[in-house]
């Protein structure tokens, strides 16, 4: 069917999407790169000058930068750990023969559809508020002092909220993978007397390996950009205790009006994201053919 | 599982699964319950039975001008998705039905644009919006959200279109169908389910977008995600009112989401898990 005419038509059909995405990718990125070498503050736009590597050096020598990198890593790894471990457990539980499986699935998947600011505000006020939250009610019921979550454990509290949002995603993908597991193989292993843990270790886990990889990589992409959850709960604080790289750059750009500094931070974020992206592209690309 | 399971085992697993499911759903459930309480009840301690008053819903609608952000959300989510479909359908179609050697590379490159962290282009996008008067306009944000979701739309459509068997086209051609007939009567009916799934998932993604909507709007074009984020400031924060606003912000998309479980896996894993 590949006549010259249809090939020409196909090129015409592809062009708009490719051109738009190309502009979208290249223009802002080049601008960010350019700004990252400028002394440019929106409060003082007349004083713009060439900065060389100053913005990068400034970012690099700022203790908040390393704290933000550290917080970003803790946030991503913490959420990944919780969602993958619990995701496997819950997926296996839902996969069991149970009554009302459809409704259970709907209940488990729901947090994923709650927009980030709503999820964060629900947890901040309904669940974790030190005087009116459910956890405070539970603490009082047990006779212990309620915890002021966002003041005492800011980063952990945010990890908890984000993990709640992403647990459904992990569970759903792992469940999809689990359902394609060959049941005959499982039954054969069972009849041969393989105990449950070795069936899990040698049959279930290897089968899910690919799905787990995909969950980890895709979640990492989104988790590097966590923003709204921090904005509405701790606002990056106390101090910079819960500021991740995204939030640090947001602060530089929007609250300090430091265009050059924020752009330099943006370039660093691109480099970080690219390291992850390389791995994801490999995992996805293998499945294309 | 094909083999018989004893009734007691099944009941045991059922109780465990329901307990976990209800625990995960609890924050949403409790928000719905709180939204049906009065403000005094809402802070009076743990109670699962509200007085079923709609007071908070009325207050949110009358005092906070709820309908403007709601309308903005609908326009932004539906508008950006439709725009993306207009650009993506021809592209995905061409790549699925007349692939070239470079099609795979193009798809991978499109995926790679999705990896760019939003914050990396915050500075230029913010300045462009500021200087061109696009700040706080629906049109600016609609186009931006379209660009953000375009790679996912192309990818999803591509994976669906690729499953349409090529033999059907040949058979139609043998029967004397013209190109127009082919597209209208053979391909379109087979492509509709894939397009519908893509539409659904991307409306959800655009509705819940909360980085750009907060950065680039103040009042006029602010959708629900930005509207709700403004509730984080302590003044005027009331539990029941906040709950009602939250329920209204998530209810439509929650229901849509329940229908799109399968598409979610496919769309967000770029076809890597089916």
């Amino acid at each position: 069917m590949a006549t010259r005419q249809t090939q020409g038509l196909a090129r015409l059909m592809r062009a708009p999407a490719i051109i738009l995405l190309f502009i979208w990718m290249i223009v802002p990125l080049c601008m960010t790169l350019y700004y990252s070498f400028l002394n440019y503050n929106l409060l003082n736009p007349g004083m713009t000058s060439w900065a060389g590597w100053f913005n990068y050096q400034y970012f690099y020598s700022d203790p908040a930068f390393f704290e933000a990198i550290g917080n970003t890593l803790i946030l991503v790894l913490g959420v990944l750990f919780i969602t993958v471990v619990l995701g496997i457990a819950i997926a296996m539980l839902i996969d069991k023969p149970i009554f009302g499986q459809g409704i259970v699935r709907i209940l488990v998947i729901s947090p994923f559809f709650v927009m980030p600011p709503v999820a964060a505000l629900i947890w901040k006020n309904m669940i974790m508020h030190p005087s009116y939250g459910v956890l405070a009610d539970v603490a009082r019921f047990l006779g212990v002092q309620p915890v002021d979550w966002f003041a005492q454990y800011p980063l952990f509290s945010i990890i908890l909220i984000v993990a709640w949002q992403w647990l459904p995603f992990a569970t759903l993908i792992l469940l999809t993978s689990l359902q394609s597991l060959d049941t005959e193989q499982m039954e054969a292993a069972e009849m041969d007397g393989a105990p449950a843990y070795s069936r899990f270790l040698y049959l279930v886990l290897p089968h899910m390996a690919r799905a787990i990889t995909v969950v980890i990589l895709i979640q990492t992409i989104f988790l590097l950009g966590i923003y709204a959850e921090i904005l509405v709960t701790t606002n990056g604080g106390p101090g910079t205790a819960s500021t991740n790289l995204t939030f640090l750059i947001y602060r530089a750009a929007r609250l300090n009006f430091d265009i050059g500094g924020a752009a330099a931070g943006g370039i660093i974020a691109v480099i970080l994201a690219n390291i992850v992206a390389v791995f994801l592209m490999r995992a996805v690309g293998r499945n294309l053919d | 599982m094909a083999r018989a399971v004893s009734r007691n085992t099944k009941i045991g697993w059922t109780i465990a699964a329901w307990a976990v499911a209800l625990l995960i759903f609890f924050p949403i459930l409790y928000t719905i319950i709180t939204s049906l309480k009065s403000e005094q009840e809402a802070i009076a301690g743990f109670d699962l039975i509200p007085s079923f008053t709609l007071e908070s819903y009325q207050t949110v609608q009358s005092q906070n001008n709820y309908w403007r952000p709601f309308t903005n959300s609908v326009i932004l989510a539906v508008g950006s998705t439709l725009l993306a479909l207009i650009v993506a359908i021809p592209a995905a179609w061409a790549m699925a039905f007349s692939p070239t050697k470079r099609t795979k590379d193009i798809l991978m490159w499109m995926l790679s644009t999705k990896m760019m962290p939003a914050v990396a282009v915050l500075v230029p996008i913010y300045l462009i919006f500021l200087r061109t008067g696009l700040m706080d306009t629906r049109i600016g944000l609609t186009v931006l959200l379209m660009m953000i979701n375009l790679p996912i739309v192309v990818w999803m459509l591509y994976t669906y279109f690729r499953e349409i068997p090529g033999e059907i086209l040949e058979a139609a051609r043998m029967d004397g169908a013209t190109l127009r007939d082919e597209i209208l009567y053979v391909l379109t009916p087979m492509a509709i389910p894939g397009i519908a799934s893509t539409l659904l998932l991307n409306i959800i993604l655009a509705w819940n977008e909360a980085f750009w909507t907060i950065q680039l709007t103040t009042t006029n074009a602010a959708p629900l995600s930005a509207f709700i984020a403004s509730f984080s400031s302590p003044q005027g924060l009331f539990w029941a009112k906040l709950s009602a606003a939250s329920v209204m912000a998530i209810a439509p998309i929650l229901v849509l989401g329940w229908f799109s479980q399968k598409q979610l896996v496919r769309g967000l894993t770029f076809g890597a898990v089916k």
Side-chain angles (χ1 to χ4, degrees):
Chain A
M1 62 194 272
T3 63
R4 184 163 296 176
Q5 198 190 355
T6 56
Q7 281 302 339
L9 185 66
R11 200 170 301 145
L12 209 65
M13 285 160 80
R14 278 196 304 261
I18 294 175
I19 293 169
L20 274 177
L21 270 176
F22 186 73
I23 296 171
W24 164 247
M25 190 185 76
I26 216 75
V27 173
L29 209 54
C30 289
M31 287 173 76
T32 304
L33 199 60
Y34 172 67
Y35 287 132
S36 75
F37 291 109
L38 292 185
N39 282 316
Y40 183 8
N41 194 301
L42 279 184
L43 291 178
N44 212 345
M47 295 286 286
T48 306
S49 63
W50 184 255
W53 294 97
F54 175 77
N55 288 321
Y56 291 92
Q57 277 161 1
Y58 180 77
F59 235 83
Y60 191 75
S61 59
D62 185 359
F65 170 66
F66 287 102
E67 198 182 356
I69 296 265
N71 287 340
T72 307
L73 288 179
I74 296 171
L75 189 59
V76 171
L77 293 177
V79 174
L80 283 179
F81 179 77
I82 296 175
T83 51
V84 170
V85 171
L86 288 183
I88 293 173
I90 296 170
M92 290 178 69
L93 184 60
I94 298 178
D95 196 39
K96 295 264 187 269
I98 52 169
F99 295 106
Q101 198 180 36
I103 300 171
V104 166
R105 269 180 77 133
I106 282 180
L107 293 181
V108 170
I109 190 80
S110 293
F112 190 75
F113 303 114
V114 177
M115 56 175 72
V118 170
L121 281 179
I122 287 179
W123 278 84
K124 181 188 179 186
N125 296 303
M126 306 290 160
I127 310 292
M128 297 166 104
H129 194 279
S131 34
Y132 304 124
V134 173
L135 290 178
D137 288 328
V138 172
R140 273 192 293 267
F141 178 76
L142 295 174
V144 290
Q145 186 68 30
V147 178
D148 190 352
W149 292 94
F150 292 102
Q152 287 174 271
Y153 311 105
L155 201 55
F156 176 74
S157 307
I158 291 169
I159 290 176
L160 215 58
I161 297 173
V162 178
W164 177 74
Q165 287 179 280
W166 284 94
L167 183 58
F169 175 77
T171 306
L172 196 63
I173 286 174
L174 296 172
L175 180 64
T176 309
S177 156
L178 204 56
Q179 282 169 340
S180 67
L181 181 66
D182 189 359
T183 52
E184 280 178 23
Q185 214 179 9
M186 281 293 276
E187 277 166 38
E190 210 178 336
M191 279 201 280
D192 287 343
Y197 69 87
S198 64
R199 289 203 302 272
F200 173 74
L201 222 56
Y202 298 110
L203 280 177
V204 178
L205 219 48
H207 177 78
M208 284 204 286
R210 186 187 168 72
I212 293 171
T213 315
V214 170
V215 166
I216 289 175
L217 293 169
I218 290 174
Q219 282 198 165
T220 305
I221 301 274
F222 284 92
L223 296 178
L224 284 173
I226 292 294
Y227 166 75
E229 291 85 344
I230 298 175
L231 179 74
V232 303
T233 56
T234 63
N235 206 10
T240 49
S242 58
T243 298
N244 67 354
L245 191 55
T246 301
F247 207 77
L248 188 73
I249 297 167
Y250 150 77
R251 274 237 281 252
R254 299 295 311 278
L255 305 181
N256 301 335
F257 304 100
D258 179 9
I259 295 300
I267 295 297
I268 294 170
V270 171
I271 294 169
L272 269 183
N274 267 300
I275 296 171
V276 180
V278 168
F279 289 105
L280 176 61
M281 305 294 270
R282 258 186 224 156
V284 176
R286 218 179 299 142
N287 201 47
L288 253 186
D289 307 297
Chain B
M1 243 177 245
R3 75 209 149 91
V5 181
S6 87
R7 203 178 157 74
N8 281 340
T9 318
K10 190 168 177 178
I11 290 174
W13 286 122
T14 303
I15 292 171
W18 275 86
V20 169
L22 284 173
L23 192 66
I24 291 174
F25 191 71
F26 178 76
I28 300 173
L29 181 70
Y30 198 61
T31 305
I32 297 172
I33 291 172
T34 307
S35 74
L36 298 168
K37 290 177 177 176
S38 68
E39 288 299 344
Q40 292 86 338
E41 276 178 89
I43 54 169
F46 185 71
D47 189 1
L48 283 176
I49 297 152
S51 59
F52 292 103
T53 169
L54 292 175
E55 205 178 282
S56 314
Y57 285 92
Q58 283 158 354
T59 319
V60 169
Q61 284 178 36
S62 56
Q63 279 183 12
N64 298 77
N65 198 6
Y66 166 82
W67 292 109
R68 183 159 63 184
F70 178 83
T71 315
N72 284 337
S73 269
V74 172
I75 292 173
L76 291 178
V78 176
S80 67
T81 304
L82 288 180
L83 267 181
L85 280 178
I86 292 172
V87 180
I89 289 175
W93 193 290
M95 287 194 266
F97 294 119
S98 15
T100 63
K101 268 178 258 158
R102 277 179 312 173
T103 296
K104 189 183 160 179
D105 294 334
I106 293 173
L107 278 165
M108 293 312 286
W109 166 73
M110 284 186 170
L111 186 59
S112 77
T113 65
K114 192 68 198 155
M115 315 289 170
M116 187 168 62
V119 75
V121 292
L122 169 64
V123 165
I125 300 290
Y126 179 73
L127 291 179
I128 290 172
F129 268 59
L130 213 55
R131 284 175 192 157
T132 53
L134 284 172
M135 194 59 89
D136 203 18
T137 60
R138 289 168 181 167
I139 180 78
L141 213 51
T142 305
V143 171
L144 189 90
L145 290 180
M146 175 202 99
M147 293 310 304
I148 287 173
N149 286 328
L150 189 58
I152 292 187
V153 176
V154 173
W155 258 88
M156 273 188 84
L157 288 173
Y158 171 76
T159 60
Y160 280 111
F161 287 169
R162 210 173 43 155
E163 280 169 16
I164 298 175
E167 296 82 28
I168 276 192
L169 287 181
E170 278 163 37
R173 226 165 281 163
M174 299 276 245
D175 291 342
T178 62
L179 185 67
R180 190 178 145 272
D181 291 340
E182 248 174 54
I183 291 177
L184 221 55
Y185 300 114
V186 185
L187 286 175
T188 307
M190 295 186 76
I192 293 272
I195 295 175
S197 307
T198 312
L199 184 86
L200 206 61
L201 179 68
N202 278 277
I203 286 177
I204 294 172
L205 289 178
W207 184 281
N208 287 344
E209 211 289 321
F211 179 76
W212 291 112
T213 52
I214 293 173
Q215 299 302 330
L216 301 176
T217 63
T218 45
T219 45
N220 284 328
L224 287 165
S225 51
F227 169 74
I228 295 284
S230 70
F231 273 77
S232 62
S233 50
Q235 60 264 44
L237 181 75
F238 295 106
W239 266 229
K241 215 172 83 174
L242 172 69
S243 300
S246 299
V247 171
M248 286 195 287
I250 63 173
I253 232 59
L254 203 55
V255 175
L256 270 190
W258 289 339
F259 290 108
S260 67
Q261 292 181 41
K262 285 258 161 53
Q263 292 84 295
L264 182 80
V265 174
R266 195 172 170 144
L268 284 180
T269 62
F270 302 98
V273 175
K274 273 184 206 162

